[in-house]
Amino acid sequence: VVEHEFVLSEKDIEESLFELQMVLLESDVAYPVAEAITEHMKKELVGTHRKLRESADDVVTDALRHAIEKVLGEGFDLVSYIKNHEKPVKILFTGVNGTGKTTSVAKIAHYLQSQGLSVVVGAGDTFRAGAIEQIRVHCERLGIKLIAHQEGADPSAVLYDTVEYAKAHKTDVVLADSAGRFHNRVNLMNQLEKIKRVMKPDLVFYVDEAVAGNDAVIRAEEFEKTVSTDGVILTKVDMDPKGGAAISIAYTIGKPLVFLGVGQGYDDMKPFTPSLIIDEIFGDD
Amino acid sequence: MGLDTLSNSLKDAMKKLAGKTVIDRAAVDELVRDLQRALLSSDVNVKLVMELSKQIKARSLDENLPKGINAREHVLRIVYQELVNLVGKEAEFSLKPQKILMAGLQGSGKTTTTGKLCRYFQRKGLKVGAIGADNFRPGAYAQLETLCKKINVPSYGDPKEKDAVKIVKDGLAALKDMDVVIVDTAGRHALEDDLIDEITEVNAYLKPDHRWLVIDAALGQAARDQAKRFHEAIGIDGVIVTKMDGTAKGGGAMSAVAETQSGIVFIGNGETIDDLERFDANGFISRLLGMGDLKALVEKAEESI
Ligand SMILES: Nc1nc2c(ncn2[C@@H]2O[C@H](COP(=O)(O)OP(=O)(O)OP(=O)(O)O)[C@@H](O)[C@H]2O)c(=O)[nH]1
Ligand SMILES: Nc1nc2c(ncn2[C@@H]2O[C@H](COP(=O)(O)OP(=O)(O)OP(=O)(O)O)[C@@H](O)[C@H]2O)c(=O)[nH]1
Ligand SMILES: [Mg+2]
Ligand SMILES: [Mg+2]
């Protein structure tokens, strides 16, 4: 059987590309990222040979799916990372205000405990009103050791003490909460660098939320520049299941997604797999 | 990449129109495309952007160029008017005794803003108190109480009470001598039916004078549907945009305003209790477009008509 082929021209895919760019934007992929992805696809597709019975639409959708799969990556297996590293494994959580850092610390503590690992949490947000009380209640409920100082104390000192506790008690994992901070506040970013110098985390997890729009790109870039992150946690995916912010962030800093937060319960934390996002964007089941 | 280049291209497109005394379709098309790009990069809802740009294009081409201004000023004026139409109306409220209900997504800034509003009314010479009806988030009442204590404002809460309506009822009794009572609530979102029901009940019991929706400046496309659900549930009559001290542009708040047919009441621009400003449409729109003081440009143009 002879398959008829034709060569894709820019004109053939223009409309489908525009529609897909709109889909990306409506899924909260940041504008420059959506544009870069569709530009990249155009370059890849124009001039390629296609079978006659394939519609331009299908070709473009397929290519987009591959492009997004590539951007999102395969995730990060935290449990095997911990099992293969010298203990304690120290993880610092950071990000802008209100994204879900403290809640994610609690959920991940619970998750790691259920995997048979021992955990200590450091109350590194000594700034925001009620922050220490918040993490204290979480840890009490989960039966997890918390190291905390007073409100207003130096966060580096608290986290240093947490690491010392873990060393003395042979605890497997240190989870360090920290205050929310904006990337354009130099003094707060300096404080974060100091925290990093003092506690020497093995991993820095950057926490952002699925409902964030274009700013997701800017702040991820800035945090990456200042503290260099190792993984991303995307929260509040239950609010906005399309999670285009995952694509914006992964594209911008190229770091693996580790977990998706999907609710306020302790079990509402899913180790990341690309299909969790892809299926939503493409409307698969 | 980056937004600077974007707003620059908008400025460039504006420049192309600058010397012209007749409206040139190609230049308007280009300008509208750049405007779309700027608005989409600031998180204005995709559908809203498309509607807006259609309107701006039509008006720019249909309306006669007023004598004394050039094509650039003509289009700029239309852009400004259309955006002001959308967000320009400042949500009204008075300094009378009143009850205010705070609503919004998890982590948007309700509790912090409740503290800031207490400070605002206190400064206006009113007796103000706060009720912490968030019976879900650990430490929620400790947070509100700490904020209120710092400014000597009374607060009521009961972390052990599960019933939010009961907390509000007891709180109103405890704060009956206050002129202004502000009720902080737990974060919730459109897909959480039971929590939407809860705030509907709180609203029915409290009968507040205002129901303000707190929106994070970084909120993206979800803003529209989220605001719609809150509006259906309790009737939002004002939007507060928080975290405007970051780099986010607040375009999501614009969708929320469009959806609730309300206006923006306040802007939150920092973590401390005094970081609250009344809304200023010009500043907001200029920032949205990355264009500097738009109003001044438009006024200058209007003077020459
Ligand atoms: N729906 C939903 N809510 C979440 C999720 N993760 C966190 N939250 C809620 O978001 C709000 C803010 O979470 P926090 O953990 O306090 O956020 P944070 O980043 O520590 O905030 P700051 O320390 O103030 O910067 C809380 O009400 C959490 O319950 C999630 O995955 N889904
Ligand atoms: N920089 C800055 N931070 C803010 C602003 N408003 C609130 N925040 C911070 O955002 C985070 C979340 O604020 P909260 O007041 O706890 O938010 P919430 O809506 O009450 O959260 P839930 O009760 O969990 O739904 C905190 O870290 C606040 O300090 C603001 O205008 N600027
Ligand atoms: Mg926190
Ligand atoms: Mg709160």
Side-chain angles (χ1 to χ4, degrees):
Chain A
V1 186
V2 182
E3 281 269 21
H4 290 282
E5 291 195 337
F6 71 107
V7 180
L8 274 183
S9 73
E10 191 165 338
K11 210 156 167 284
D12 292 329
I13 55 171
E14 211 167 52
E15 202 175 307
S16 324
L17 276 181
F18 177 78
E19 272 163 29
L20 283 180
Q21 190 171 351
M22 290 301 124
V23 170
L24 290 177
L25 291 173
E26 289 190 321
S27 306
D28 258 332
V29 176
Y31 189 89
V33 175
E35 200 172 45
I37 290 175
T38 39
E39 266 309 305
H40 173 78
M41 284 171 52
K42 188 155 90 187
K43 276 204 198 104
E44 292 244 301
L45 288 174
V46 171
T48 57
H49 293 257
R50 291 294 145 178
K51 295 190 178 62
L52 206 50
R53 54 185 165 71
E54 281 181 306
S55 77
D57 251 12
D58 289 346
V59 171
V60 171
T61 308
D62 248 23
L64 180 68
R65 181 188 288 266
H66 288 134
I68 291 178
E69 273 167 356
K70 219 165 110 195
V71 169
L72 287 174
E74 285 302 310
F76 181 95
D77 184 349
L78 181 60
V79 172
S80 34
Y81 177 95
I82 293 169
K83 289 193 170 146
N84 294 318
H85 275 75
E86 197 186 319
K87 314 290 180 301
V89 169
K90 298 160 283 178
I91 309 175
L92 173 62
F93 290 71
T94 184
V96 301
N97 302 81
T99 52
K101 293 173 292 300
T102 305
T103 310
S104 297
V105 165
K107 288 174 180 175
I108 291 171
H110 173 65
Y111 170 77
L112 294 177
Q113 235 181 4
S114 75
Q115 301 286 317
L117 295 162
S118 57
V119 181
V120 59
V121 168
D125 182 355
T126 57
F127 174 74
R128 207 205 66 225
I132 297 172
E133 175 68 6
Q134 182 186 9
I135 191 76
R136 192 185 59 73
V137 172
H138 279 309
C139 288
E140 261 173 31
R141 285 185 188 163
L142 293 169
I144 285 167
K145 175 73 184 172
L146 176 76
I147 304 294
H149 291 183
Q150 296 296 315
E151 192 177 322
D154 178 2
S156 304
V158 186
L159 298 178
Y160 180 84
D161 284 359
T162 313
V163 172
E164 289 303 298
Y165 175 94
K167 284 180 183 159
H169 293 79
K170 303 212 175 334
T171 311
D172 297 324
V173 189
V174 170
L175 300 181
D177 192 16
S178 71
R181 68 196 72 229
F182 271 134
H183 45 293
N184 56 351
R185 289 285 302 280
V186 175
N187 55 339
L188 294 181
M189 294 311 273
N190 288 343
Q191 182 192 59
L192 190 59
E193 286 182 299
K194 181 182 168 194
I195 290 174
K196 220 187 135 181
R197 276 198 309 277
V198 172
M199 76 164 278
K200 300 186 181 65
D202 300 286
L203 296 168
V204 177
F205 282 171
Y206 174 69
V207 183
D208 205 344
E209 52 189 30
V211 283
N214 280 267
D215 197 45
V217 164
I218 300 171
R219 56 211 202 186
E221 219 162 28
E222 291 301 318
F223 271 87
E224 178 64 19
K225 242 192 269 168
T226 324
V227 286
S228 165
T229 61
D230 299 292
V232 177
I233 293 169
L234 194 73
T235 64
K236 308 185 193 176
V237 177
D238 51 318
M239 272 182 207
D240 191 357
K242 291 198 183 106
I247 297 171
S248 300
I249 297 168
Y251 181 86
T252 305
I253 61 177
K255 295 295 163 69
L257 285 140
V258 189
F259 287 102
L260 299 183
V262 293
Q264 300 188 85
Y266 295 120
D267 288 322
D268 293 330
M269 198 66 154
K270 292 189 189 168
F272 172 80
T273 59
S275 66
L276 289 173
I277 300 282
I278 301 227
D279 294 352
E280 286 292 340
I281 289 185
F282 291 93
D284 304 0
D285 286 319
Chain B
M1 183 170 8
L3 293 173
D4 294 344
T5 14
L6 276 174
S7 51
N8 280 341
S9 79
L10 186 58
K11 280 178 204 146
D12 288 347
M14 288 277 185
K15 268 192 211 131
K16 282 189 195 140
L17 279 167
K20 301 206 162 113
T21 47
V22 285
I23 296 293
D24 163 349
R25 178 177 291 269
V28 169
D29 278 350
E30 190 182 337
L31 177 84
V32 167
R33 252 197 321 274
D34 285 326
L35 181 72
Q36 284 177 348
R37 203 175 287 165
L39 292 172
L40 289 169
S41 306
S42 296
D43 296 320
V44 180
N45 187 273
V46 174
K47 292 193 182 74
L48 202 57
V49 171
M50 296 308 154
E51 287 161 23
L52 254 173
S53 41
K54 224 160 76 197
Q55 181 76 359
I56 288 167
K57 198 184 276 183
R59 281 190 60 192
S60 302
L61 295 171
D62 294 349
E63 289 177 14
N64 289 328
L65 186 64
K67 276 203 173 51
I69 69 176
N70 63 32
R72 166 181 179 267
E73 290 159 336
H74 171 65
V75 178
L76 199 65
R77 208 169 135 232
I78 292 169
V79 168
Y80 189 71
Q81 283 169 356
E82 288 297 323
L83 290 174
V84 167
N85 254 347
L86 259 179
V87 286
K89 202 174 61 162
E90 188 182 318
E92 289 306 321
F93 74 98
S94 65
L95 294 175
K96 288 187 309 218
Q98 58 191 301
K99 293 174 291 189
I100 298 168
L101 179 62
M102 307 291 281
L105 299 178
Q106 283 93 348
S108 56
K110 295 172 295 300
T111 307
T112 308
T113 308
T114 300
K116 292 176 180 181
L117 286 170
C118 285
R119 177 61 147 191
Y120 179 87
F121 285 108
Q122 182 187 48
R123 290 226 157 140
K124 299 286 177 188
L126 290 154
K127 282 193 289 182
V128 54
I131 299 176
D134 180 355
N135 46 8
F136 182 80
R137 170 171 161 174
Y141 184 59
Q143 182 184 4
L144 183 64
E145 194 183 28
T146 308
L147 292 169
C148 287
K149 268 196 181 138
K150 277 188 193 145
I151 53 170
N152 291 313
V153 158
S155 63
Y156 178 85
D158 181 359
K160 287 193 199 73
E161 176 59 59
K162 286 281 156 260
D163 181 356
V165 175
K166 174 86 164 44
I167 298 177
V168 171
K169 187 176 173 193
D170 295 345
L172 286 175
L175 299 171
K176 64 180 188 317
D177 295 331
M178 297 297 125
D179 302 322
V180 177
V181 174
I182 305 171
V183 179
D184 180 28
T185 59
R188 68 199 77 224
H189 65 78
L191 304 173
E192 294 174 312
D193 287 336
D194 46 339
L195 292 179
I196 296 290
D197 288 346
E198 183 198 65
I199 199 163
T200 309
E201 283 163 27
V202 167
N203 181 55
Y205 179 82
L206 180 66
K207 297 187 183 63
D209 300 270
H210 293 293
R211 294 151 311 271
W212 287 343
L213 182 64
V214 180
I215 297 269
D216 186 318
L219 185 60
Q221 297 294 318
R224 186 180 172 125
D225 290 347
Q226 293 291 343
K228 184 164 185 255
R229 187 82 171 96
F230 276 95
H231 190 49
E232 282 164 1
I234 60 171
I236 297 300
D237 69 339
V239 170
I240 297 178
V241 194
T242 61
K243 311 185 196 176
M244 284 290 273
D245 50 317
T247 45
K249 301 290 193 293
M254 190 173 232
S255 320
V257 166
E259 203 54 59
T260 59
Q261 299 291 307
S262 67
I264 298 175
V265 207
F266 286 101
I267 299 284
N269 57 0
E271 286 195 79
T272 61
I273 201 123
D274 289 308
D275 293 327
L276 187 73
E277 279 174 7
R278 285 310 306 272
F279 172 65
D280 162 51
N282 179 44
F284 188 82
I285 292 170
S286 300
R287 177 183 167 124
L288 205 67
L289 295 177
M291 287 272 304
D293 190 349
L294 264 183
K295 192 173 165 200
L297 286 175
V298 171
E299 278 172 355
K300 208 170 126 238
E302 285 179 344
E303 273 166 21
S304 26
I305 297 178

